[in-house]
Amino acid sequence: MTDTSPYGTYAPTGLVARIAERTQKLPEHSWRARRMAMFLRRLAISMMRGRPLDVERYGARMRLHPYNNNCEKKVLFTPQFFDPQERAFLKERLRDDAVFLDIGANIGAYALFVAGFTGRRARILAVEPQPDVFDRLTFNIGQNPFGTVKAIACAVADKSGELTLFIDPRNRGESSVKIVGTHKNATVRVPAVTLVELCRSEGIERIDAIKLDVEGAEDLILEPFLRDAPASLLPSVLVIENGADQWQIDLPNLLNKYGYRQIARTRLNLMFERVEPSRPA
């Protein structure tokens, strides 16, 4: 169960605080620096004895649990290594009143990052199906004054209803509706909606950007959305985890038919921008 004690209860102290300060200053493009960061991170985590840490990252307060979630490990100790190109891509393109959907929000790093540089008229949905991770997400949202982030507890899929989410207990960020895990009983039933239904239920009529990280199920979400959504709802910008080896369709080619061009590719993600308003015939 998520610890809801006041923010600041787990402020970094002693050697752990010094390690966290040191690892944040390591250069992001140095192989040697990354090896040093991993060594120092393991040392700090061993000293934390299962406790979280309360820190500020990307202009937002967060309580991070760096034990079974790679996202939290990176954001806590090396925030400069966490999707720097993707974050720069979004910051360059989103206005103060942006509508941003963070699907597979995890503990809210992307959602809170966008909330930190957009304005009071922004609208941000952070969608996360795992119950305990969702609790961490809502706690983090509640520690900040933005007032623009709404957490939604569900999966997004190709059809609505209820589905099985396969949990990877070693890295909660890799849990999936598509890939069966190898760990006994590591499943949970969760509600699911389509992306069109999510937008309809939330009264969303325009989307400026979507970050989609659902461990290989990106094609299951986007194919029906592109087909069924009104043209006015198609987002201007997409950041998609690259699950090409798990997709059942050529998703980049499909996006190209809907007027998207690939702007960049990183180790984990593909970034697209919509340059044409037309639909395929």
Side-chain angles (χ1 to χ4, degrees):
M1 189 171 183
T2 299
D3 188 331
T4 58
S5 54
Y7 178 86
T9 301
Y10 300 106
T13 59
L15 183 56
V16 170
R18 292 195 293 275
I19 289 174
E21 182 178 356
R22 169 64 176 150
T23 53
Q24 289 182 78
K25 296 177 180 178
L26 293 170
E28 63 183 81
H29 298 299
S30 167
W31 174 83
R32 192 179 299 274
R34 287 179 177 269
R35 291 293 299 270
M36 175 62 72
M38 292 181 66
F39 168 76
L40 292 174
R41 185 176 74 184
R42 286 195 296 268
L43 176 62
I45 289 173
S46 69
M47 299 170 61
M48 290 169 59
R49 301 182 184 276
R51 295 187 297 272
L53 286 182
D54 295 340
V55 296
E56 290 194 20
R57 298 290 184 266
Y58 312 128
R61 291 179 167 189
M62 303 182 194
R63 175 166 291 170
L64 299 172
H65 306 69
Y67 303 101
N68 60 350
N69 192 337
N70 287 347
C71 172
E72 291 181 89
K73 290 179 184 178
K74 291 179 183 178
V75 173
L76 176 55
F77 290 103
T78 50
Q80 73 276 28
F81 296 170
F82 180 72
D83 293 359
Q85 289 178 250
E86 293 87 337
R87 289 186 288 110
F89 177 72
L90 291 172
K91 193 167 186 178
E92 289 171 0
R93 288 162 173 80
L94 296 184
R95 306 186 304 269
D96 286 351
D97 63 345
V99 178
F100 175 63
L101 275 57
D102 186 359
I103 300 173
N106 206 301
I107 50 82
Y110 264 91
L112 292 170
F113 165 70
V114 171
F117 70 81
T118 53
R120 289 285 184 178
R121 293 187 299 140
R123 189 167 183 197
I124 300 165
L125 298 185
V127 184
E128 173 54 48
Q130 298 182 68
D132 52 347
V133 177
F134 181 80
D135 288 345
R136 298 181 190 181
L137 169 66
T138 55
F139 180 87
N140 288 341
I141 292 171
Q143 308 316 303
N144 294 280
F146 304 128
T148 55
V149 186
K150 178 179 180 179
I152 299 177
C154 72
V156 180
D158 56 337
K159 58 185 178 180
S160 60
E162 190 179 68
L163 52 76
T164 299
L165 185 69
F166 297 95
I167 306 296
D168 184 343
R170 300 162 300 181
N171 178 16
R172 303 304 292 269
E174 290 189 356
S175 298
S176 174
V177 303
K178 198 171 182 180
I179 305 166
V180 179
T182 59
H183 294 266
K184 186 177 180 181
N185 299 325
T187 63
V188 62
R189 297 289 288 177
V190 298
V193 297
T194 68
L195 185 49
V196 168
E197 290 169 335
L198 175 67
C199 293
R200 185 182 300 124
S201 66
E202 294 297 322
I204 292 176
E205 299 178 348
R206 181 195 95 230
I207 302 173
D208 293 296
I210 295 176
K211 188 275 298 184
L212 186 58
D213 181 354
V214 289
E215 302 306 315
E218 293 79 15
D219 58 332
L220 295 180
I221 294 171
L222 285 177
E223 190 279 328
F225 175 73
L226 293 168
R227 183 187 65 233
D228 300 336
S232 59
L233 200 57
L234 298 185
S236 301
V237 167
L238 289 164
V239 176
I240 305 172
E241 185 180 39
N242 187 358
D245 59 338
Q246 299 156 18
W247 295 336
Q248 298 175 17
I249 61 172
D250 185 343
L251 186 54
N253 182 58
L254 179 64
L255 287 166
N256 181 259
K257 292 178 180 179
Y258 281 85
Y260 289 91
R261 64 180 174 124
Q262 185 173 314
I263 301 297
R265 175 177 181 167
T266 65
R267 188 174 66 87
L268 296 176
N269 298 296
L270 305 175
M271 288 166 272
F272 295 87
E273 192 166 41
R274 192 162 185 250
V275 295
E276 299 177 12
S278 60
R279 285 176 175 270

